[in-house]
Amino acid sequence: MEIKVLGTGCAKCKATADLIAQVAAEAGKKVEIVKVEEMRQIVGYGVMTTPAVVVGEKVVHKGSVPSRAQILTWLA
C-alpha cells in the first residue's frame, strides 16, 4: 500500500510520515510512504495546507498531524 505525505519538509510533515510508519508497523501492515515536497505537485492535489495525506490518489487528510485512529482506518 502506498501512502503519500504532502508537505515541504516541516516538522509536522515529518511527524506525520513517522506516525504513519509507526502505526502501520504496529498493525502489521506493509506500507510505502512517499514524501511529496514539490509545491507544484502538492497544489495539483488541491491542497493548500500541509501536512496532507493521500491514499489511493485521494486526499484523506490535510492541515494537521492525523490521529492514530484515522491512520488505522486508512490501513484497513
Side-chain angles (χ1 to χ4, degrees):
M1 167 184 259
E2 180 181 88
I3 297 178
K4 295 179 182 176
V5 177
L6 313 181
T8 56
C10 66
K12 286 184 181 180
C13 300
K14 183 176 178 348
T16 297
D18 291 346
L19 184 59
I20 292 169
Q22 181 182 359
V23 171
E26 289 170 3
K29 300 286 186 174
K30 193 170 190 164
V31 296
E32 177 187 356
I33 297 173
V34 177
K35 294 181 182 175
V36 178
E37 297 183 349
E38 171 61 44
M39 203 60 197
R40 184 171 286 152
Q41 288 179 292
I42 293 169
V43 172
Y45 282 98
V47 171
M48 296 296 169
T49 55
T50 60
V53 180
V54 175
V55 178
E57 289 305 307
K58 181 181 176 199
V59 177
V60 294
H61 184 82
K62 58 186 170 184
S64 64
V65 177
S67 69
R68 288 178 163 274
Q70 285 176 298
I71 295 168
L72 284 171
T73 63
W74 305 332
L75 299 174

